Amino acid sequence: MMMMKIQNIFFIFAFINSVFVVSATLQAATVAPWISNMALIKQTNDRKPISVPRYTVNLDLPPENRWTEIAKQPQFANASTSIINYLKNSVPKHIFPLIAKIGKDIQNYFPQELALEMSGLAKAFGPPLQIGDLVAVNLVMQLEHIALNCSNWNDTGPTLPNDPGCMDVDPKQTWCYCKKHKNAFTTYANIKKEMGLSNDGPGLCTSVVAEDPSGKIYHGRNLDWNVPYILRKMTADVDFQKGNETIFTGTTVLGYVGVFNGMKKGVFSASIDARDKGGKIFGNLLQALLHKSLTPSQHLRMTLQSEDSSTFDTAVKMLSTGHLIDQNYFIVGGVQKGEGAVIARDRNKAVDVWRMNETSWYRLETNYDHWNPVPKADDRRHPGMKNMDTMGQTGIGASGNGLYINVMTKWPTFNHHTDYTGIFSAVEGIYTSNIWSD
């Protein structure tokens, strides 16, 4: 009798387990990935492009005076208020005392030229900003990822347990998958509601360099950051000039002395994508405090500005070296056949340089190392590559219009997080930028 009871118990447990497995399988089959979410697709397609204004920064002026004329433009009249509100919602309060300390001794933490530009900018705003606030603006990509966890790393979910892409970036699954939520299909929206979260964390990016049949190089870039529209409108394309001649062009947000992407006409173009979610905040700040390191956007600007970046290869070499506050990808396009590369950076060196070659006419980078799988919850890689392959080399089009239409504005490369889209070609001197309305 006892043996029969034990057998019955085992049978019941086995039956329950089989029901659970079947249920989970059916649930997995019925839960659509975010890239199939028609509401998100419609929301994205309803957005409108707005051309980014273009300004000039005279590098012959003293650094503290270079941005004054731009900061005094009428459209930036309330910029300081918008910046303060954004920082309050994005940067934890306990970080500000440290940022204020950096601000008081700014030239010990940043190259003198950039430190003076930040000091001048803080005073040029109306009303003026505290220098610590300007420092926070320039470190915001390094500060926003503090307390990274399963609730804020991704809001396109669902994030599944043991996802190979998650295991790559977070082997212990401490944040990439929410272990506290037993339902594997818990989405960001549900977690956000349960945890009382109100702010969306920063999004991610896609960059691509491609070669048309004649060997011309084109460069497309989407910045997915979830920046509020009031700050998005502070985006500016800037011609950095010496002797009334443009040395390079870069895109920034007023108050930010680095550039998110840029181009040196006739030489190269480059953009930045986040790697490893921008790194951990305390490591980033230690790197800034102890090593006088640059942010990736500052490093890109100084590379564009340098007389030594006179060829595609020298630009790749410069972007592959130097101390950075956090990890990132530099995506670089040149002016001759085959000149395209994705540089995967650690803080102190490149870990990989992934070049175009005879068998591949493009390189597409999202936010994950190309030699590893991507998380299923954030797979923009394969849809982007499919769109590139469908378009083909002949589809790139004059001035990169085909690249813009067929890839950069196609879901999910273009998505509800995308704030900015740019198309560049150093060989043709093309540099077009737009932000997206909500």
Side-chain angles (χ1 to χ4, degrees):
M1 180 67 70
M2 179 65 68
M3 181 62 67
M4 184 176 296
K5 286 184 177 179
I6 293 174
Q7 289 175 340
N8 287 340
I9 290 172
F10 276 121
F11 174 80
I12 291 170
F13 273 119
F15 176 78
I16 292 172
N17 183 64
S18 65
V19 169
F20 176 81
V21 170
V22 171
S23 175
T25 303
L26 290 173
Q27 189 176 23
T30 58
V31 174
W34 71 273
I35 58 173
S36 301
N37 188 318
M38 297 307 297
L40 290 181
I41 294 173
K42 183 181 185 305
Q43 175 187 334
T44 301
N45 290 338
D46 285 344
R47 304 170 81 198
K48 305 298 181 186
I50 301 169
S51 295
V52 172
R54 200 156 182 160
Y55 302 95
T56 298
V57 163
N58 184 357
L59 295 174
D60 293 324
L61 290 175
E64 57 267 37
N65 298 332
R66 291 174 181 171
W67 295 90
T68 302
E69 185 176 340
I70 300 176
K72 297 299 184 184
Q73 295 293 315
Q75 59 266 44
F76 301 130
N78 298 315
S80 54
T81 302
S82 300
I83 288 172
I84 292 297
N85 290 336
Y86 180 68
L87 292 176
K88 285 181 178 178
N89 289 323
S90 302
V91 179
K93 291 180 180 179
H94 63 274
I95 294 296
F96 279 101
L98 180 57
I99 299 301
K101 173 180 170 58
I102 295 175
K104 289 179 181 178
D105 202 12
I106 190 170
Q107 293 192 43
N108 280 332
Y109 298 106
F110 294 96
Q112 184 180 34
E113 180 178 7
L114 298 180
L116 290 172
E117 285 190 16
M118 282 188 264
S119 297
L121 251 170
K123 296 175 183 177
F125 277 108
L129 284 172
Q130 296 292 324
I131 185 60
D133 293 331
L134 223 292
V135 170
V137 168
N138 282 271
L139 292 176
V140 73
M141 281 192 166
Q142 289 70 45
L143 297 175
E144 277 196 322
H145 292 286
I146 192 165
L148 185 69
N149 56 55
C150 58
S151 68
N152 65 19
W153 85 271
N154 173 272
D155 57 359
T156 50
T159 302
L160 305 177
N162 303 313
D163 185 316
C166 270
M167 298 293 284
D168 170 48
V169 296
D170 179 31
K172 295 182 179 179
Q173 299 192 85
T174 54
W175 54 264
C176 194
Y177 163 65
C178 292
K179 287 188 287 187
K180 67 172 286 188
H181 297 279
K182 301 303 181 183
N183 180 358
F185 302 95
T186 297
T187 64
Y188 171 85
N190 293 333
I191 299 166
K192 179 177 171 183
K193 182 178 179 180
E194 291 176 24
M195 299 183 70
L197 299 173
S198 59
N199 298 320
D200 287 334
L204 298 167
C205 307
T206 301
S207 293
V208 59
V209 284
E211 178 182 283
D212 78 0
S214 69
K216 290 181 180 178
I217 306 296
Y218 293 90
H219 191 151
R221 187 272 201 287
N222 279 0
L223 175 64
D224 304 347
W225 195 9
N226 298 317
V227 174
Y229 186 60
I230 194 167
L231 278 182
R232 216 176 303 158
K233 292 191 295 184
M234 292 167 58
T235 305
D237 287 343
V238 179
D239 292 322
F240 292 83
Q241 296 186 345
K242 283 185 178 180
N244 294 320
E245 181 180 338
T246 297
I247 305 303
F248 69 98
T249 301
T251 302
T252 189
V253 172
L254 186 63
Y256 201 79
V257 298
V259 294
F260 304 119
N261 37 259
M263 182 183 77
K264 182 177 276 190
K265 184 179 178 180
V267 185
F268 75 100
S269 60
S271 59
I272 299 170
D273 288 7
R275 180 172 184 250
D276 194 22
K277 306 295 182 294
K280 301 297 185 289
I281 180 65
F282 296 110
N284 291 346
L285 286 179
L286 282 174
Q287 189 78 7
L289 292 170
L290 301 178
H291 298 285
K292 204 171 185 176
S293 300
L294 296 174
T295 67
S297 63
Q298 291 169 349
H299 187 46
L300 175 55
R301 175 187 157 178
M302 300 313 289
T303 298
L304 286 159
Q305 193 168 316
S306 173
E307 294 180 357
D308 294 332
S309 60
S310 57
T311 67
F312 169 79
D313 287 329
T314 56
V316 169
K317 183 177 180 180
M318 292 177 70
L319 292 171
S320 298
T321 55
H323 294 294
L324 299 179
I325 290 178
D326 60 320
Q327 307 94 313
N328 73 289
Y329 301 99
F330 289 116
I331 299 84
V332 192
V335 294
Q336 298 183 39
K337 184 177 177 62
E339 289 188 340
V342 176
I343 305 166
R345 278 296 310 260
D346 273 349
R347 288 190 172 103
N348 299 315
K349 61 180 175 31
V351 296
D352 182 75
V353 179
W354 187 35
R355 293 176 179 266
M356 286 198 303
N357 54 43
E358 293 181 357
T359 62
S360 180
W361 56 275
Y362 72 86
R363 289 291 184 232
L364 183 144
E365 175 60 52
T366 57
N367 302 96
Y368 307 96
D369 294 337
H370 70 87
W371 58 91
N372 286 325
V374 293
K376 292 181 179 67
D378 188 35
D379 185 4
R380 289 163 288 119
R381 176 193 291 173
H382 293 101
M385 293 175 66
K386 181 179 179 181
N387 286 336
M388 286 294 294
D389 294 336
T390 299
M391 176 186 70
Q393 274 188 287
T394 58
I396 291 176
S399 302
N401 286 338
L403 179 62
Y404 177 83
I405 294 169
N406 296 310
V407 180
M408 305 315 297
T409 56
K410 286 284 188 181
W411 177 269
T413 300
F414 175 57
N415 58 68
H416 52 302
H417 302 305
T418 304
D419 294 329
Y420 167 92
T421 299
I423 297 290
F424 328 116
S425 175
V427 66
E428 292 197 343
I430 295 167
Y431 197 93
T432 61
S433 294
N434 62 262
I435 59 170
W436 293 95
S437 67
D438 284 335

